[in-house]
Amino acid sequence: MAKPRLVLKFIWMEKNIGIALDQMIPGHGAIPLSPYYFWPRKDAWEELKVLLETKPWISQKQMIILLNQATDIINLWQQSGGDLS
């Protein structure tokens, strides 16, 4: 049986990028663990970090992986200027 996993979700817009965290339960779907945090309106990376720190069942290793993934996507969004093409 597959284990639940954490998944970052993104909303890619011209002037903002939204980041949210879900837990995917195989056979049951997604459980939202956070609202969308929007960058650069606010520091979405820091808000995600604070949220992850409140979840003692998320390991330090998993937290680092998720924050690194968020950093990569935010950087990609910045480099593209919000343009998906």
Side-chain angles (χ1 to χ4, degrees):
M1 185 171 176
K3 289 183 176 181
R5 60 190 172 96
L6 298 173
V7 177
L8 288 174
K9 296 187 340 182
F10 298 92
I11 297 176
W12 189 289
M13 299 178 287
E14 187 177 330
K15 298 194 183 298
N16 299 285
I17 186 165
I19 303 172
L21 181 67
D22 282 3
Q23 184 176 29
M24 299 297 291
I25 309 292
H28 297 284
I31 298 171
L33 297 180
S34 77
Y36 275 93
Y37 302 118
F38 289 94
W39 195 93
R41 202 178 315 165
K42 290 188 173 184
D43 189 344
W45 187 93
E46 185 64 33
E47 290 179 316
L48 179 61
K49 179 179 178 280
V50 167
L51 172 87
L52 290 168
E53 289 171 341
T54 67
K55 310 287 185 208
W57 50 271
I58 298 176
S59 71
Q60 185 75 19
K61 179 181 177 184
Q62 186 67 38
M63 187 169 100
I64 291 168
I65 289 168
L66 290 166
L67 290 171
N68 285 343
Q69 289 173 342
T71 299
D72 290 344
I73 298 298
I74 289 170
N75 288 340
L76 183 64
W77 179 84
Q78 285 181 294
Q79 291 167 4
S80 74
D83 186 7
L84 278 174
S85 56

